[in-house]
């Protein structure tokens, strides 16, 4: 596992943040004992802040049980949330809730506070000091903090479970990946022009097979470009991030003037393959999670949730169209092509975003209308070069509607959105053909 992948996995685990709080609690214990047992800070503070040893021990021992009880309630709430998400929405969303920073901070505060009072009680239990100031003050402060955190966590869990917050959070994660990962790894090296691809040397192309089965999780594009420049070769990847590969599948190929002394193992290490999909570079996974949420909503007869998910998908599609260049060529600083990716057109992302939803929506004309409306919103905001893809996807979607069973108002609203999309994409002449399919006897009646 690469350092980048390991860092990502650690940040997503539930013990990462609580462990940091436990370490801070141990440091706070050391500071507290130093102030009370060595400095004897009780001599220099106000009298109402000081307590004798017996009351301090009673206070700390009581708060051990109190903080532990709050922690138990918090964990119980966490389990309820996770169970609800598993059954009602999608198991993929569990990772989003666990990896949420607010969730991890809340659990960290409870664990840190419990460790603090436990260690303090251990050290002051046999102390011969008669007065304490730092210990009761900090202990009471942590008890207040734990109580406030408990209220915050309950509010956070109930707020996070609201559908509009879930879909927005999932969309934000995907957009962050586009801004911070894809643009940094790919867009700085993309070239719309094919350039020199060493076609003459391509006759000596060499293929490298995959040495492990699993999902392509991460590709170190920058490192690969630098190594390909040193070896003076061009690397062609046969799979993209998120694809599943088997041992023996052709993973990548390379060619160049001199390929005899090239060690392919170093290129293998630049392609991380694991047993599960990750979102570090895989935009499809974010789209799949949104699609699954919409599909679940359709199955549960919840059109409002499905519509909200479609709106967030449209916003994500706008980000894709704005910040991703649909070209497979990655170049080095000398403008020489070094890596060739699997080609991904805008149509591919449209299908990944809305294709699954329209499939499971089937005869749900309200959802189909919402999809067409979302496509029109996207068309209004992106470059006209991508309008054809939006229009063709909409037409293909409408072609599979059962026109014999659609209600009149559903037909009216659907055609209104189709006409709007046709105007934005300059396909009004095609819209007339679609309208004729829904009203075949219109001309005869006129």
């Amino acid at each position: 596992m690469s350092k980048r992948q390991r860092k990502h996995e650690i940040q997503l685990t539930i013990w990462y943040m609580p462990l940091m709080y436990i370490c801070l609690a141990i440091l706070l214990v050391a500071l507290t004992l130093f102030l009370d047992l060595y400095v004897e800070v009780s001599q220099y503070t106000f009298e109402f802040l000081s307590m004798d040893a017996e009351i301090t021990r009673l206070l700390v021992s009581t708060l051990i049980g109190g903080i532990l009880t709050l922690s138990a309630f918090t964990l119980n709430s966490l389990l309820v949330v996770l169970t609800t998400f598993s059954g009602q929405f999608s198991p993929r969303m569990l990772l989003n809730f666990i990896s949420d920073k607010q969730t991890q901070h809340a659990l960290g505060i409870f664990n840190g506070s419990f460790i603090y009072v436990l260690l303090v009680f251990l050290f002051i239990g046999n102390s011969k000091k008669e007065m304490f100031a730092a210990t009761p003050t900090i202990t009471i402060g942590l008890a207040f903090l734990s109580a406030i955190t408990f209220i915050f966590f309950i509010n956070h869990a109930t707020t996070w479970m609201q559908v509009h917050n879930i879909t927005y959070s999932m969309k934000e994660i995907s957009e962050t990946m586009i801004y911070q990962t894809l643009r940094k790894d790919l867009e700085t090296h993309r070239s719309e022009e094919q350039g020199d691809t060493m076609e003459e040397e391509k006759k000596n192309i060499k293929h490298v097979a995959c040495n492990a089965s699993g999902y392509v999780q991460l590709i170190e594009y920058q490192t690969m470009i630098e190594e390909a420049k040193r070896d003076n070769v061009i690397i062609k990847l046969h799979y993209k991030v998120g694809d599943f590969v088997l041992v023996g599948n052709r993973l990548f190929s390379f060619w160049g003037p001199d390929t005899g002394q090239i060690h392919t193992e170093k290129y293998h290490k630049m392609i991380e393959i694991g047993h599960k999909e990750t979102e570090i570079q895989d935009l499809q996974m974010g789209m799949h999670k949104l699609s699954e949420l919409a599909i679940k909503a359709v199955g549960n007869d919840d059109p409002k949730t499905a519509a909200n998910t479609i709106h967030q998908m449209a916003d994500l599609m706008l980000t894709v169209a704005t910040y991703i260049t649909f070209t497979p060529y990655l170049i080095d600083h000398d403008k020489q092509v070094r890596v060739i990716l699997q080609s991904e057109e805008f149509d591919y992302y449209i299908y990944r975003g809305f294709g699954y939803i329209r499939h499971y929506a089937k005869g749900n004309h309200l959802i189909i209308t919402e999809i067409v409306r979302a496509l029109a919103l996207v068309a209004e905001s992106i470059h006209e070069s991508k309008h054809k893809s939006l229009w063709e996807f909409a037409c293909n979607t409408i072609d599979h509607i059962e026109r014999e069973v659609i209600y009149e108002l559903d037909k009216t609203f659907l055609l209104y959105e189709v006409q709007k999309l046709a105007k934005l994409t300059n396909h009004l002449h095609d819209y007339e053909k679609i309208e004729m399919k829904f009203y075949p006897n219109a001309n005869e009646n006129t």
Side-chain angles (χ1 to χ4, degrees):
M1 183 181 291
S2 63
K3 292 182 180 179
R4 187 176 178 183
Q5 177 77 0
R6 189 180 299 109
K7 180 181 178 182
H8 177 74
E9 292 292 332
I10 289 176
Q11 290 177 343
L12 293 181
T13 54
I14 201 170
W15 55 264
Y16 171 71
M17 193 66 71
L19 182 61
M20 293 183 61
Y21 275 92
I22 289 174
C23 293
L24 290 175
I26 294 174
L27 294 177
L28 188 58
V29 168
L31 176 62
T32 304
L33 296 176
F34 175 75
L35 292 175
D36 271 338
L37 301 182
Y38 293 95
V39 179
E40 297 185 357
V41 72
S42 59
Q43 301 177 8
Y44 311 102
T45 58
F46 296 104
E47 187 175 346
F48 69 89
L49 293 176
S50 301
M51 293 185 183
D52 61 40
E54 184 178 351
I55 297 178
T56 301
R57 294 188 187 97
L58 179 62
L59 172 68
V60 174
S61 62
T62 303
L63 289 180
I64 290 176
I67 293 176
L68 185 60
T69 302
L70 284 179
S71 301
F73 274 116
T74 304
L75 292 175
N76 182 60
S77 302
L78 176 62
L79 292 175
V80 170
V81 171
L82 297 182
T83 305
T84 303
F85 279 168
S86 297
Q88 187 174 356
F89 297 109
S90 168
R92 297 177 185 269
M93 298 172 58
L94 304 182
L95 186 61
N96 286 40
F97 184 77
I98 292 175
S99 61
D100 186 83
K101 295 300 181 184
Q102 295 180 357
T103 302
Q104 294 191 356
H105 279 298
L107 295 177
I109 289 174
F110 285 124
N111 283 275
S113 300
F114 176 71
I115 294 298
Y116 173 84
V117 294
L118 193 64
L119 292 179
V120 165
F121 183 75
L122 176 65
F123 282 100
I124 70 171
N126 297 322
S127 175
K128 297 180 180 180
K129 297 292 181 181
E130 296 182 357
M131 299 296 293
F132 294 90
T135 299
T137 303
I138 297 178
T139 303
I140 292 174
L142 288 178
F144 273 108
L145 179 62
S146 299
I148 294 173
T149 303
F150 175 72
I151 298 173
F152 161 79
F153 182 80
I154 297 299
N155 178 72
H156 165 64
T158 54
T159 303
W160 202 91
M161 287 179 63
Q162 298 175 19
V163 176
H164 59 276
N165 291 330
I166 294 173
T167 55
Y168 181 78
S169 173
M170 294 168 66
K171 187 260 300 181
E172 285 286 297
I173 292 174
S174 297
E175 287 187 340
T176 301
M177 183 197 63
I178 293 175
Y179 296 142
Q180 297 182 356
T181 304
L182 293 182
R183 291 189 69 187
K184 179 181 177 182
D185 293 346
L186 290 175
E187 295 305 311
T188 54
H189 296 284
R190 283 193 190 266
S191 173
E192 296 185 6
E193 298 180 0
Q194 180 174 343
D196 180 18
T197 55
M198 302 182 185
E199 293 297 323
E200 187 65 27
E201 288 79 7
K202 200 171 182 180
K203 59 185 179 182
N204 297 322
I205 186 172
K206 293 187 178 181
H207 306 290
V208 181
C210 183
N211 54 13
S213 298
Y215 292 95
V216 179
Q217 297 178 332
L218 179 70
I219 300 177
E220 298 289 348
Y221 294 107
Q222 294 186 9
T223 307
M224 186 174 291
I225 291 172
E226 293 172 1
E227 286 298 323
K229 182 179 180 181
R230 292 191 187 98
D231 295 334
N232 194 20
V233 295
I234 294 178
I235 308 292
K236 182 177 181 180
L237 301 175
H238 297 288
Y239 293 94
K240 53 186 176 294
V241 175
D243 288 346
F244 185 80
V245 295
L246 295 174
V247 173
N249 289 160
R250 186 182 297 175
L251 186 60
F252 64 90
S253 303
F254 65 94
W255 63 88
D258 183 17
T259 58
Q261 302 299 323
I262 293 179
H263 300 286
T264 59
E265 187 61 31
K266 63 181 179 181
Y267 292 106
H268 264 297
K269 294 179 180 179
M270 300 172 195
I271 304 175
E272 188 75 28
I273 296 177
H275 67 283
K276 64 178 182 178
E277 297 177 87
T278 61
E279 283 188 274
I280 301 178
Q281 292 178 333
D282 189 6
L283 178 58
Q284 298 178 46
M285 187 176 178
M287 289 184 167
H288 285 167
K289 288 196 292 187
L290 278 172
S291 296
E292 286 177 358
L293 184 58
I295 292 168
K296 280 279 190 178
V298 172
N300 294 330
D301 298 324
D302 186 4
K304 188 64 179 176
T305 298
N308 181 270
T309 307
I310 291 170
H311 299 159
Q312 298 298 334
M313 186 74 77
D315 192 12
L316 180 58
M317 202 66 61
L318 176 61
T319 306
V320 170
T322 305
Y323 293 99
I324 294 182
T325 306
F326 301 99
T327 174
Y329 304 107
L330 302 184
I331 60 175
D332 57 21
H333 297 294
D334 298 328
K335 309 299 181 183
Q336 168 63 47
V337 174
R338 291 302 177 188
V339 177
I340 301 178
L341 310 175
Q342 287 291 299
S343 181
E344 293 180 3
E345 300 296 334
F346 186 55
D347 311 61
Y348 175 81
Y349 288 100
I350 296 176
Y351 174 74
R352 289 297 180 185
F354 296 107
Y356 295 152
I357 302 175
R358 75 174 179 183
H359 174 77
Y360 288 93
K362 293 181 180 178
N364 194 324
H365 306 113
L366 298 177
I367 302 301
I368 298 298
T369 302
E370 204 62 45
I371 291 176
V372 177
R373 180 174 178 271
L375 294 175
L377 292 173
V378 176
E380 192 173 359
S381 300
I382 66 175
H383 193 268
E384 59 182 10
S385 62
K386 300 180 178 67
H387 285 177
K388 182 181 178 182
S389 301
L390 295 171
W391 175 252
E392 289 179 350
F393 184 85
C395 290
N396 186 256
T397 302
I398 296 168
D399 285 342
H400 293 80
I401 290 181
E402 299 179 11
R403 301 175 182 85
E404 294 79 10
V405 296
I406 184 172
Y407 291 110
E408 189 64 31
L409 281 178
D410 289 344
K411 188 187 303 183
T412 301
F413 290 128
L414 175 61
L415 289 177
Y416 172 78
E417 297 298 341
V418 174
Q419 185 181 36
K420 181 180 178 181
L421 178 61
K423 289 179 180 178
L424 292 170
T425 58
N426 295 320
H427 285 85
L428 275 175
H429 60 285
D430 294 327
Y431 166 75
E432 296 175 359
K433 299 176 183 177
I434 295 175
E435 188 177 24
M436 286 298 297
K437 292 179 180 179
F438 282 90
Y439 296 101
N441 301 323
N443 291 337
E444 298 177 8
N445 294 336
T446 3

